[in-house]
Amino acid sequence: MAVEKAQEIYDSDVDTGALSGFRVGVTAARKAEEQINLLERRGAHVVWAPALSVDPNRVDAGSLRAVTEQIIGHRVDMFLATTGIGTRAWFDAAEEWGLIDPLLETLGGAEILARGPKSVGALRRRGLRELWAPESEEFDDVLEHLRGRDLTGKRIVVQEHGQSLSMVAHALTRQGAEVINVVVYRVESASDPEPMFRLVETLADGELDAVTFTSAPAVAAFMQAAGSVGLRDEIVAAFQADVVAACVGPVTAAAFEMWGVPTMIPDRSRTAAMVKMLEAELPLRRSGLMIELAGGHQLLLHDDAVILDGAEVKLSPAPAAVLSALVAIPGNVVSRPALLAMLPSGTAGSEHAVEMAVARLRSALGTKAVQTVVKRGYRLAVAQ
């Protein structure tokens, strides 16, 4: 299917789905056509602007072969597989060089940790079995799993995931390990940034209902583009108001934390699941969001109105900002730093300001409406 960048992509023959009348920005480079088709079949107007190179996974064959030969024939105590595409690309390259059998034999004797299901699939496809993988699919949890262990003298191979993991290597080295980074590919920004600039401007003008993201580097490139045209504050404000930042998984969503942008994540880290999530969420937002709170209370949000058990509640800007963050995904924990980033400009820049805003929100909605999660943040107390 031919697709025009940063222009409306729309098929009138399928404008009967749940997303009819909604405009969705797509930032994916890889498998963009698949995502666009899924959205169009549900009636969405799609604006496509790849944040990264359409061919981002460029392998430096010489360097990759050299590190592969360095690994083969030597003891490997631990192998950390971070991405499915990176692991597959490495193994495929090794097969072309006639090195796949000794590489698999070397890695097969190691303790294998995988970041998520895609890397697990790439390993098992070659007959390797992971010892452990975090449910969160976050690499930080892999490191947490290793933190506190005595890694003295351990030889650890780390497959990088498109961005440098040099800090990870330093952290493991501090624990006594010898670390070998396998750089399979590097993610590069899109060669033509103009579509991304137009997407940023479209969002800032209030003409999008959602934007989808399928990788952390895409989030970084999108926010960099917004900063380059002087619209970063407007983009953050749009996401904090009513535009959905739909992320395919927790790793992608984590890249937004520093900006205080609330995100939505599907139950499964898959493109189809993300589209299905939007199919349910966007119509609900247009008609007003109804949330069942613990204790039998009903909270209705419609446009700027906040209605509790049928009575309108007036909120000042700070508690309103906190509520906006907490209802992005009702029941999910939002950290204090993320809430602080969402407070209106001019609010005191400390977590005490967050505590005051939460206190005012509790005063308006009820003391049990907002729960404190120790050492993590706050969440809306939704009915189970």
Side-chain angles (χ1 to χ4, degrees):
M1 182 186 75
V3 184
E4 289 188 70
K5 295 179 182 177
Q7 292 185 3
E8 186 176 283
I9 303 167
Y10 179 59
D11 184 346
S12 60
D13 294 337
V14 295
D15 187 18
T16 57
L19 294 179
S20 178
F22 291 97
R23 293 171 57 86
V24 180
V26 171
T27 62
R30 292 182 60 251
K31 299 183 178 179
E33 189 170 317
E34 171 192 342
Q35 185 183 157
I36 290 167
N37 283 335
L38 287 171
L39 289 164
E40 285 187 334
R41 286 204 299 267
R42 287 156 176 82
H45 298 247
V46 177
V47 179
W48 178 48
L52 305 173
S53 169
V54 176
D55 181 27
N57 307 317
R58 301 173 182 173
V59 179
D60 182 342
S63 298
L64 183 58
R65 179 164 186 165
V67 75
T68 301
E69 292 174 343
Q70 177 188 353
I71 291 168
I72 290 172
H74 294 83
R75 185 190 85 254
V76 173
D77 299 297
M78 188 179 297
F79 171 40
L80 307 185
T82 64
T83 64
I85 188 173
T87 302
R88 286 196 305 274
W90 184 23
F91 291 166
D92 289 347
E95 189 167 44
E96 289 182 10
W97 302 325
L99 299 175
I100 187 62
D101 290 339
L103 177 60
L104 294 178
E105 183 179 356
T106 300
L107 297 178
E111 174 184 350
I112 300 177
L113 305 181
R115 180 176 66 85
K118 292 182 181 179
S119 49
V120 166
L123 291 167
R124 293 185 181 181
R125 178 170 168 261
R126 293 289 186 170
L128 298 177
R129 300 288 296 193
E130 76 290 350
L131 182 64
W132 181 82
E135 291 185 5
S136 66
E137 303 180 27
E138 296 189 38
F139 193 61
D140 284 349
D141 286 336
V142 176
L143 297 180
E144 183 64 30
H145 181 72
L146 296 176
R147 202 162 287 128
R149 286 179 56 173
D150 183 6
L151 300 180
T152 303
K154 299 290 186 182
R155 199 161 185 256
I156 300 177
V157 172
V158 179
Q159 174 253 316
E160 294 197 353
H161 54 48
Q163 292 179 300
S164 174
L165 292 178
S166 60
M167 294 302 292
V168 171
H170 286 309
L172 295 175
T173 299
R174 292 185 68 187
Q175 291 179 244
E178 174 192 350
V179 180
I180 301 174
N181 282 344
V182 178
V183 181
V184 182
Y185 62 89
R186 281 279 182 255
V187 173
E188 299 181 6
S189 297
S191 56
D192 179 10
E194 189 57 35
M196 180 56 59
F197 290 152
R198 290 200 294 269
L199 179 65
V200 166
E201 290 166 351
T202 301
L203 175 56
D205 288 340
E207 296 179 8
L208 291 177
D209 299 289
V211 183
T212 65
F213 299 89
T214 56
S215 71
V219 172
F222 180 80
M223 296 306 292
Q224 182 178 17
S228 297
V229 293
L231 292 174
R232 185 176 291 151
D233 289 346
E234 289 81 353
I235 294 305
V236 171
F239 283 133
Q240 290 176 347
D242 54 4
V243 179
V244 176
C247 297
V248 75
V251 175
T252 304
F256 268 125
E257 287 182 358
M258 67 182 294
W259 306 109
V261 170
T263 56
M264 292 198 69
I265 309 169
D267 293 335
R268 297 177 66 249
S269 297
R270 298 290 183 273
T271 298
M274 179 174 63
V275 172
K276 187 175 181 180
M277 176 186 72
L278 287 176
E279 185 180 13
E281 178 67 19
L282 291 182
L284 187 63
R285 289 192 174 210
R286 179 162 289 179
S287 60
L289 177 63
M290 175 69 77
I291 301 171
E292 294 286 341
L293 298 179
H297 299 288
Q298 286 190 335
L299 181 66
L300 174 63
L301 306 179
H302 193 278
D303 294 331
D304 294 329
V306 178
I307 302 169
L308 180 67
D309 295 334
E312 186 170 1
V313 176
K314 296 295 185 181
L315 296 176
S316 59
V322 170
L323 180 61
S324 176
L326 297 180
V327 301
I329 308 180
N332 275 28
V333 178
V334 182
S335 69
R336 287 180 178 83
L339 289 175
L340 180 61
M342 294 189 68
L343 293 182
S345 58
T347 306
S350 72
E351 292 189 8
H352 177 66
V354 173
E355 294 168 4
M356 293 299 294
V358 169
R360 293 191 181 103
L361 183 59
R362 283 173 171 156
S363 177
L365 301 183
T367 56
K368 295 182 179 180
V370 180
Q371 295 176 332
T372 301
V373 182
V374 179
K375 295 184 178 180
R376 294 182 62 196
Y378 300 95
R379 68 182 173 197
L380 206 60
V382 297
Q384 298 300 316

